[in-house]
Amino acid sequence: MTSNLYLQRNTPFRLLEINILQADDSQLLEVSRNLAIGLNLLEMKVIQKYFRKKGRNPTDIELQTIGQTWSEHCFHKTFKGKVRINGKEIDSLFKTFIAKIVEEIKPSWCFSVFEDNAGIVTFDKNYGIAVKVETHNHPSAIEPFGGAATGVGGVIRDILGVWADPIACTDVLGFGPLDLKFEKLPPGVKHPKYVYMGVIAGIGNYGNNMGIPTVNGAIYFDESYVGNVVVYCGCVGLLPLEKFKRQAKPNDVIVLAGGKTGRDGIHGVTFASAELTKESEEISRPAVQIANPIEEEKLKRAIITIRDLQLASSITDLGGGGLSSAVGETAKRFNCGAIVELEKVPLKYPGLAPWEIYISESQERMLLAVPPKKIERVLEIFKREDVEATAIGRYTSDGVLKIYFYGEKVAELDISFLFEPPKAVKTAEYKFPSFIEPSFPEPEDLTEVLLQIISSPNIASKERVIRTYDHEVKGNTVLKPLQGEFDGPNDAAVLKPLEDSWKGLVISCGMNPSYGKIDPYWMAAAAIDEAIRNNVAVGGRRIALLDNFTWGNPEKPDRLGSLVRACEACYDFAKAFRTPFISGKDSLYNESPLGPVTPTLLITAVGIVPDIRLVVSMDVKEPGNSIYIVGQTFKELGGSEYYKLKGFMGYTVPKVRKVQAKKAFNSITKAIDLGLVKACHDLSEGGLAVAATEMAFAGGYGIELHLKRVPTKNFLRDDFVLFSESNSRFLVEVSQKARAEFEIVMKDTVFAEIGKVTKSSQLRVYGLRGNVIVDASLNDLLAHWKYPLKKE
Amino acid sequence: MRREEIRVCVLRVGGTNCDAETKRAFTDLGVKSEILHVNELVKHRNLLDYQVLVFPGGFSYGDYVRAGAIWARWILAKMGKELKCFVEEGRLILGICNGFQVLVEAGLLPGFDGISSYPEAALATNSPPGYNCRWVYLKQETNGKCIFTCNIPENKVLRMPVAHSEGRFVFAKDKEKLYLERLLENGQLVFRYCNKNGEYANGRFPINPNGSFHDIAGICNPEGTVFGLMPHPERAYYWWQHPNWTRQKQMPQYGDGKLIFESVIEYLTKNF
C-alpha cells in the first residue's frame, strides 16, 4: 500500500480515510485493488468526481459500500449495461430480452415480477406463489458444503423477503466427471468427487434441517465443470396476497433480525464477480459464509407471525453485500434516506471495523422496516422464537445514507448516487464453432448401446442423491421426484399447498449444456421447451419461467457473444409460448485455470394444475394399453448423449419449432384434463429409447415399440430414430377404451401409436425393417440405470 | 370424553419442522390440537390441560450433540415433574422421528421400569450411513396393548415414509438379548420393518432403511401410553400423499398413517 493514500482517522476503532481527491489513474486502481472492491477505472473516476464535489475524501466504509452496490453480483452490470455486437448496440440484455416479455403479453396472473428478490404469480384469488432460483457457484468451488448450504439458505431468505412461507426447494447441479484422474487437476482445483459429496451434503443439510422439501432438480456432468462447479438453488413460497406489505416510510425503524454478524462472507460479492484462480482457496475462503439452518428456521417462524399480524412495513433479506445492500436498496425503493448506528449490530466477536460490519454476509439475517408504534410487539415476537432482533437505525426523508459508529459519523452518501453507477459498455462477438456431423456405421447391437446410454452419468438414476433430500416433509408432496416401486424419474414435482383446495403447484426444469457447445441459441430454446414439456407432461399449465445463467467472463467478447445469443432465444421462445420470465439470476466470471464454464442456462418452470386428481405420473400402468408418440422426430443428434457415447459432438443440434411445440403442449393438457392419459413422459436426453425404458421399468411392465410408425423426417437409421433428441416430444400411454377420443384431441399435432404396454418384462423394439433391434429385460435395464451413482 | 373435548399439544422448539402436518392430522379427526412453543408452555400453560402430548419430527436444536439429546435434557430440566405426572396419570405421549429420539434420550422409552434416568436404548446413525427419505412397510406387532395401534389388527402391514439419518434402533450389545425379551414380554415392540408381503427385513437395506436392531421401527412403554416411531404417519394420512396413488384405480380415502391418530382418539373417547 502507498502510505500517503491511506490515513487512519483519529478514532478508537479502525477507520481509514482514502486520499482519492489527488489520486492519479494508477492510484485509483490501486485503491480498488487494495480494498478488494473490484471496481474499474471508469467507476473509480466517477467516485473521485463525486467526492471532489463534496470536497472531502471518502472513508473505507464509504468506498466499500459503493463497491458492494456496484458489483456485478448486486447490480448485474453486464445484463443492465450496454452491449455492442455486430455493429449494433443493445441497451440492457435484461430489458431487451427477459423483462420485455411480461410487459408485452401482460398476463393478469403476474403479481410482482423482477421487482423484489423473488417473482410472484397468483395461485388462486387469495394466495400467491413466490419463486426464486439462486446461483452459488463461486463459494461452492472453494468450500462445497458451506457454499451449497448457504446457497439454499440464501434463496430461502429471498422467499421470506417477499413475506412468503417457503414450501419447496429445488436444486440443479453441474460437476466434473466423478472419475477424473487426479493428475488432470491443476493446483487450487478440487476433485469433482469431493465437490460433489460436499455440495450434495450441504444442500440436504440445509433443506432437511429447515423442514422444506427438496422436490425437483437435476445433475449434469461436464468436463468444464471441473474448475467451475454449477450450483443452482431454488425455492418456492406461498403467501396470502393481502399480507404482502411494502410501504416503508421515513421514521420507520430498521430492525436487523437473526444471526450475529462476523467476518464470514466479507467480499462475497466481489469474489463472485471475478474469475477463480489457484490463489482463490487462500484469498477467498473468508468470502464463504457459515450456514446454520436452525437459526433460519426460527427466523422464518417469527417472520411469518409478523407478516400475519401485519406489523412491519417492509422486509428484505441480507444476502450479497450484507447490510450495505439491504439498507441501501430499501432506502432507494421507498425514496428514503437512512441513519444506521453500526455499534448496535450484534457481533459474533469484537474487533470488527465498521466497514466489515456493514458489508459482512453472515448468514440467517433479515432486515425489516417497522413503524415506531409497533416495534415493541415485533421485538417480542422475535424473542418468543429465541431469535435476536435489534433496532439499528431508522429511515429518513432526506435521501442520504448516514452511518455512525459510537457517535462518530463514518459515512454519508447520497442514495441516488449509490444507485447510479456508470453504465458499462461491453463488446460481444459470436462465431459459430466448426463442428462437423460425424459419419459412422450403425452399430449392430443396439441393445448394448441402450444399456450404455442409460448408465451414462447424465441419464443414470440420481436416486442415491435424491434420497438424501427430504422430499416429503410438510406432507404436501403429491408427485414425488421418484415414481413407482422402481423409482422412475418423474418429469415434474406437484405440491398441494392449500388444505382446502385441490389446486396444485407444478415445478420442473430444463437444462441442456451440451447443446450450447454447438449453439447457445438452440440450447436456450431447448431448455425452455424442456422445462415447459416436463411441466405439461404431469398436467401443469399457465407456466411462469425463471432464468439462471452461468457463463464465463463477460469482459471477453466471445463469452458475451454467446450470452447474447442465448438471451435472444429466451425472448423468442418464452414469448411464443406465452410463458413470461418472472425472476432470474446470473453468475458470470465462471472461469478457472482450466478455462471457462460451458455456457449453462437453467430454466425453471412453475405451473399450476386446477385439480391434483388430474395429475399423471410417468410409469406405465397396465398391459394392453397403447403407447403414442406426440411430436415429430428429426435427425437431431448434435450434442446428444448418443453422439457423446460415440465420441462426437456433431452440429445437428435439436431445434424448437414454435407452432408445432405449442400445439403439442396444448393438446397434451387437453387430453390429461379429459382423463385420457394413463402415463406421460417427456423425451429428452437419450431420446425415445431412454423415455420408453424409464416408463417401462418404473411401471414394472414391458413395452413393445415399432420404429417404422414413428413420424420422422426422412432418415432411415434405427439408431438415429431411437436416440434423436428432437424437442417437444412426449410418450403417452392410453387405454384401448380412450384411444379414439385421444386421437381426436391430438388431431392438430404430429402423433402416432407406436406400440403397446406388454405383460412380459422386456423392452422390445422393432426397427424400420421390422426386425427386433432392442430386446432387454427390465431387470437388466434397471440395474444399468441404477448402478453408476450407486457405486460412488 | 367427547371427541371435541380432547386436547392435543403438538410441542415445538427451534428446529422442529413437522408440527403443522401433525396438527393437521389431529384436527382432521375433529379434536382440538394446538402447536405450542416450549417457551410458551413453560411460561403460560399447564401441561395437564392436555390429554395428548406430541413431540413431532424435525431437528430440535439442530440435533447437535446427538439427535434429540438437547431437547430431552431441556424438557427434563424445565418440566420434568409435570412430565412425570403426565405419564403417571396415563395420558398419552407420541414421538415421531425426532420426537422418538427425544423420548428415548429422555428415558421415557422403552421405560422398562418407569422413566429411566439414562437412555436405555439409542437411535444411532443409519447403516448404511446418511440421510434416507423413502416409503417403507411396517408390521403391527402388538395385540392391542399399545394405545396408538389399538385400532390396527395384529400383523397388519402398513406403509409410511421415513426420512432421517439417525434412526438405527439399538440396545447396548451386552443387554440386547435381555432387553429384546422384555420388549416382547411386555408387548412393547409395536412396528417392525418388513416387505410388502409382511416378511421381516432381517436387517436388509432398504427394506430396513437404517439397520435397526431386530428391524425395530417403533416401540411403546410397558403401559402402552408412550409411543415412539421413526416413520411419519402424518405424511401418510391422505391418499394423495401415497407414492403410488397415480397407479390406483380406486384409492382409499386415507393413508395408513390415519390409523394411528384414530387409535389415539378412539381410546380417549372410550377411556377418559
Side-chain angles (χ1 to χ4, degrees):
Chain A
M1 283 196 195
T2 320
S3 58
N4 63 358
L5 264 179
Y6 304 95
L7 176 80
Q8 164 68 41
R9 254 213 217 152
N10 188 18
T11 48
F13 47 83
R14 282 184 296 137
L15 179 69
L16 293 178
E17 212 172 278
I18 293 99
N19 185 10
I20 66 165
L21 296 187
Q22 271 86 45
D24 60 25
D25 287 4
S26 74
Q27 284 175 317
L28 284 176
L29 281 174
E30 190 185 329
V31 168
S32 173
R33 236 185 355 263
N34 288 156
L35 266 58
I37 51 180
L39 296 179
N40 63 28
L41 184 59
L42 171 70
E43 291 161 330
M44 287 305 292
K45 282 188 142 167
V46 171
I47 295 171
Q48 187 180 44
K49 200 173 135 203
Y50 175 78
F51 283 101
R52 277 185 179 156
K53 222 157 84 192
K54 294 257 165 200
R56 66 173 176 90
N57 272 317
T59 60
D60 50 6
I61 180 170
E62 286 176 324
L63 285 184
Q64 292 288 354
T65 302
I66 298 167
Q68 299 292 303
T69 313
W70 291 7
S71 69
E72 180 69 51
H73 185 95
C74 291
F75 211 82
H76 307 283
K77 289 186 277 200
T78 304
F79 267 83
K80 288 183 180 166
K82 292 181 178 171
V83 177
R84 283 204 194 101
I85 184 164
N86 299 333
K88 285 186 305 187
E89 191 173 275
I90 303 166
D91 189 1
S92 171
L93 292 174
F94 170 71
K95 278 194 188 136
T96 312
F97 298 118
I98 309 289
K100 201 161 92 185
I101 302 163
V102 78
E103 286 160 26
E104 287 176 350
I105 63 178
K106 294 194 175 57
S108 58
W109 45 272
C110 285
F111 180 79
S112 163
V113 175
F114 292 113
E115 281 183 45
D116 297 280
N117 292 340
I120 305 173
V121 295
T122 57
F123 181 64
D124 64 8
K125 64 179 195 303
N126 300 320
Y127 284 89
I129 292 292
V131 202
K132 170 74 179 215
V133 183
E134 266 287 356
T135 52
H136 235 225
N137 306 341
H138 281 74
S140 304
I142 299 294
E143 210 284 90
F145 181 92
T150 54
V152 178
V155 78
I156 292 170
R157 285 195 307 281
D158 280 329
I159 295 302
L160 289 173
V162 292
W163 293 119
D165 192 2
I167 58 169
C169 285
T170 67
D171 64 278
V172 175
L173 312 171
F175 302 103
L178 297 184
D179 54 1
L180 188 84
K181 288 206 165 57
F182 276 90
E183 304 86 85
K184 280 184 153 182
L185 280 180
V189 175
K190 298 180 172 66
H191 192 272
K193 184 78 181 287
Y194 174 82
V195 178
Y196 164 88
M197 307 265 284
V199 165
I200 283 160
I203 286 178
N205 180 275
Y206 214 100
N208 295 352
N209 288 27
M210 261 200 84
I212 301 171
T214 302
V215 296
N216 185 258
I219 299 177
Y220 287 81
F221 297 95
D222 188 279
E223 287 276 350
S224 81
Y225 299 151
V226 172
N228 309 282
V229 59
V230 176
V231 177
Y232 291 127
C233 311
C235 187
V236 180
L238 183 73
L239 73 151
L241 290 169
E242 59 165 27
K243 304 274 162 97
F244 182 73
K245 284 267 181 253
R246 39 171 197 208
Q247 52 194 37
K249 284 197 270 302
N251 273 331
D252 282 358
V253 181
I254 305 173
V255 175
L256 175 65
K260 288 184 197 294
T261 302
R263 283 203 185 91
D264 48 322
I266 299 267
H267 285 144
V269 299
T270 26
F271 149 67
S273 309
E275 294 182 18
L276 293 174
T277 63
K278 70 175 184 209
E279 286 86 26
S280 291
E281 165 77 34
E282 200 105 323
I283 297 169
S284 303
R285 179 66 78 143
V288 183
Q289 310 88 353
I290 301 160
N292 181 2
I294 300 307
E295 184 65 39
E296 192 147 308
E297 200 276 330
K298 297 188 291 181
L299 191 56
K300 178 195 87 176
R301 301 255 187 185
I303 285 169
I304 298 301
T305 309
I306 291 165
R307 171 196 80 185
D308 289 344
L309 298 170
Q310 305 192 56
L311 296 175
S313 54
S314 95
I315 184 168
T316 189
D317 75 305
L318 274 81
L323 273 173
S324 72
S325 296
V327 172
E329 282 169 18
T330 308
K332 160 88 171 45
R333 169 159 211 173
F334 300 103
N335 294 315
C336 292
I339 289 178
V340 180
E341 294 164 298
L342 271 188
E343 73 278 5
K344 293 195 172 153
V345 174
L347 300 181
K348 290 184 180 177
Y349 29 75
L352 271 72
W355 73 268
E356 290 176 309
I357 300 172
Y358 202 55
I359 69 163
S360 159
E361 295 175 12
S362 289
Q363 294 291 290
E364 289 91 25
R365 298 180 302 160
M366 298 289 292
L367 195 75
L368 286 80
V370 181
K373 267 198 292 196
K374 296 178 175 161
I375 187 75
E376 288 301 320
R377 286 184 72 194
V378 166
L379 296 180
E380 172 59 29
I381 288 167
F382 280 116
K383 201 175 152 200
R384 281 209 307 250
E385 295 291 341
D386 295 332
V387 174
E388 194 162 1
T390 319
I392 61 161
R394 62 187 172 83
Y395 293 104
T396 58
S397 54
D398 60 1
V400 180
L401 170 69
K402 294 184 192 125
I403 305 174
Y404 295 87
F405 196 57
Y406 293 104
E408 174 97 11
K409 191 195 280 178
V410 295
E412 181 171 324
L413 291 166
D414 296 298
I415 296 285
S416 57
F417 167 73
L418 206 45
F419 286 89
E420 269 164 28
K423 256 198 183 173
V425 183
K426 294 194 169 101
T427 310
E429 62 177 20
Y430 186 76
K431 283 198 206 97
F432 285 94
S434 51
F435 293 112
I436 49 157
E437 197 63 5
S439 136
F440 59 95
E442 183 166 356
E444 275 177 23
D445 186 353
L446 286 171
T447 305
E448 183 51 36
V449 174
L450 175 59
L451 290 174
Q452 285 173 7
I453 286 192
I454 57 170
S455 57
S456 69
N458 285 344
I459 290 177
S461 173
K462 309 297 184 296
E463 181 186 355
R464 181 71 192 270
V465 175
I466 295 168
R467 294 224 181 272
T468 68
Y469 305 147
D470 192 341
H471 39 263
E472 306 266 1
V473 60
K474 288 187 189 294
N476 293 334
T477 314
V478 173
L479 199 65
K480 305 165 204 296
L482 299 170
Q483 182 61 38
E485 206 178 323
F486 306 103
D487 316 306
N490 265 329
D491 291 322
V494 180
L495 297 159
K496 181 183 172 303
L498 297 175
E499 251 171 72
D500 49 4
S501 161
W502 288 111
K503 204 166 199 177
L505 172 71
V506 186
I507 307 166
S508 60
C509 64
M511 187 162 115
N512 307 84
S514 57
Y515 302 166
K517 294 175 182 171
I518 304 171
D519 188 345
Y521 182 87
W522 291 114
M523 167 183 77
I528 291 171
D529 190 90
E530 186 184 16
I532 295 174
R533 69 179 189 256
N534 274 326
N535 216 285
V536 167
V538 305
R541 77 271 330 252
R542 208 212 68 183
I543 291 164
L545 301 181
L546 287 87
D547 60 83
N548 283 84
F549 293 86
T550 289
W551 245 255
N553 184 347
E555 321 284 340
K556 299 176 184 169
D558 61 324
R559 325 286 206 250
L560 190 56
S562 89
L563 184 64
V564 173
R565 260 194 88 67
C567 286
E568 284 169 348
C570 284
Y571 175 77
D572 291 350
F573 291 90
K575 171 115 193 261
F577 296 142
R578 300 185 74 78
T579 51
F581 287 102
I582 58 164
S583 174
K585 186 73 195 268
D586 57 284
S587 167
L588 310 177
Y589 300 93
N590 289 276
E591 309 234 355
S592 76
L594 287 168
V597 72
T598 194
T600 302
L601 172 66
L602 166 68
I603 298 289
T604 306
V606 179
I608 52 170
V609 57
D611 188 327
I612 56 137
R613 290 168 289 192
L614 292 169
V615 165
V616 173
S617 59
M618 51 70 71
D619 46 332
V620 292
K621 306 294 188 302
E622 201 179 347
N625 286 349
S626 289
I627 297 287
Y628 283 85
I629 188 166
V630 176
Q632 197 166 14
T633 305
F634 297 83
K635 187 178 173 292
E636 293 175 321
L637 290 112
S640 69
E641 285 297 323
Y642 181 52
Y643 273 11
K644 195 188 286 172
L645 183 75
K646 293 275 165 200
F648 303 114
M649 180 57 70
Y651 76 85
T652 52
V653 64
K655 302 203 160 117
V656 178
R657 288 118 191 128
K658 293 172 198 148
V659 179
Q660 276 195 31
K662 231 174 133 175
K663 280 182 184 160
F665 299 155
N666 292 341
S667 305
I668 292 279
T669 303
K670 208 166 157 196
I672 288 176
D673 285 357
L674 290 167
L676 306 173
V677 176
K678 292 286 169 202
C680 183
H681 196 23
D682 93 304
L683 275 66
S684 51
E685 289 90 349
L688 171 59
V690 168
T693 302
E694 290 171 346
M695 288 178 84
F697 64 58
Y701 295 116
I703 288 182
E704 191 181 285
L705 294 179
H706 301 271
L707 289 195
K708 63 180 171 205
R709 300 195 207 149
V710 176
T712 60
K713 202 79 174 179
N714 305 330
F715 61 105
L716 294 169
R717 266 176 66 161
D718 289 331
D719 55 344
F720 294 163
V721 182
L722 275 177
F723 303 119
S724 159
E725 296 185 6
S726 288
N727 285 300
S728 323
R729 295 182 302 158
F730 301 86
L731 274 187
V732 185
E733 180 193 5
V734 179
S735 73
Q736 293 309 312
K737 211 171 60 198
R739 277 186 57 195
E741 202 182 342
F742 179 76
E743 292 188 6
I744 294 170
V745 172
M746 302 312 289
K747 67 179 187 312
D748 289 341
T749 67
V750 178
F751 75 99
E753 193 216 9
I754 58 167
K756 283 207 163 41
V757 182
T758 61
K759 264 199 193 114
S760 78
S761 38
Q762 295 286 115
L763 175 76
R764 191 168 291 144
V765 183
Y766 296 88
L768 296 168
R769 281 168 298 279
N771 52 326
V772 175
I773 53 162
V774 171
D775 195 6
S777 78
L778 297 188
N779 280 342
D780 218 13
L781 290 164
L782 194 59
H784 276 80
W785 185 67
K786 282 203 170 186
Y787 177 68
L789 276 191
K790 225 176 199 168
K791 70 183 161 75
E792 294 300 339
Chain B
M1 69 198 309
R2 283 180 298 133
R3 190 174 277 248
E4 52 279 14
E5 289 169 337
I6 297 172
R7 293 190 67 189
V8 179
C9 172
V10 179
L11 209 50
R12 74 174 175 93
V13 72
T16 303
N17 59 36
C18 302
D19 44 322
E21 52 270 43
T22 307
K23 176 189 154 135
R24 177 173 72 180
F26 280 107
T27 309
D28 187 70
L29 289 169
V31 305
K32 193 167 168 7
S33 72
E34 58 184 314
I35 297 168
L36 267 192
H37 194 285
V38 286
N39 289 350
E40 179 74 7
L41 180 62
V42 169
K43 278 190 205 143
H44 306 294
R45 303 295 182 94
N46 184 355
L47 187 56
L48 296 173
D49 287 341
Y50 302 91
Q51 287 79 41
V52 187
L53 175 65
V54 186
F55 291 89
F59 289 76
S60 53
Y61 296 101
D63 278 351
Y64 304 127
V65 184
R66 217 168 42 234
I70 302 176
W71 202 9
R73 288 293 118 194
W74 193 97
I75 283 283
L76 291 176
K78 297 271 182 177
M79 43 191 313
K81 247 203 211 144
E82 292 94 317
L83 199 66
K84 194 158 177 270
C85 184
F86 194 88
V87 175
E88 279 167 1
E89 287 187 12
R91 294 169 192 248
L92 306 180
I93 302 182
L94 170 62
I96 302 169
C97 195
N98 190 229
F100 185 21
Q101 294 161 340
V102 171
L103 295 179
V104 169
E105 287 288 340
L108 269 78
L109 285 176
F112 292 125
D113 307 301
I115 300 176
S116 163
S117 57
Y118 60 90
E120 294 166 305
L123 288 151
T125 47
N126 289 356
S127 167
Y131 196 90
N132 207 299
C133 175
R134 65 169 68 242
W135 282 67
V136 294
Y137 294 94
L138 307 169
K139 197 166 186 178
Q140 208 286 98
E141 298 276 313
T142 67
N143 51 8
K145 193 176 167 196
C146 173
I147 283 150
F148 299 83
T149 56
C150 65
N151 251 356
I152 309 173
E154 195 174 346
N155 292 326
K156 185 178 164 72
V157 175
L158 285 75
R159 209 170 173 202
M160 282 174 217
V162 292
H164 59 252
S165 52
E166 292 167 64
R168 180 165 54 95
F169 186 91
V170 285
F171 289 126
K173 261 277 168 269
D174 54 335
K175 295 190 178 131
E176 219 169 53
K177 222 178 128 204
L178 176 73
Y179 278 4
L180 180 61
E181 272 166 25
R182 291 185 75 176
L183 276 186
L184 294 170
E185 247 167 55
N186 297 340
Q188 288 181 259
L189 180 48
V190 183
F191 283 138
R192 290 182 67 189
Y193 299 110
C194 63
N195 67 12
K196 63 179 168 188
N197 303 318
E199 294 150 1
Y200 297 122
N202 285 322
R204 265 171 310 145
F205 181 83
I207 305 169
N208 174 337
N210 49 34
S212 272
F213 167 64
H214 200 61
D215 303 324
I216 291 174
I219 61 166
C220 63
N221 65 351
E223 294 73 30
T225 54
V226 179
F227 173 50
L229 76 170
M230 286 315 293
H232 286 271
E234 79 283 11
R235 300 185 191 179
Y237 188 86
Y238 297 107
W239 60 265
W240 47 264
Q241 293 171 319
H242 199 278
N244 259 1
W245 72 265
T246 55
R247 295 187 71 77
Q248 309 298 322
K249 286 212 172 79
Q250 195 86 55
M251 275 306 293
Q253 232 9 49
Y254 289 95
D256 292 340
K258 189 189 183 207
L259 299 171
I260 291 176
F261 298 101
E262 263 176 351
S263 298
V264 170
I265 289 159
E266 171 115 354
Y267 171 82
L268 288 173
T269 47
K270 281 190 186 150
N271 295 287
F272 266 74

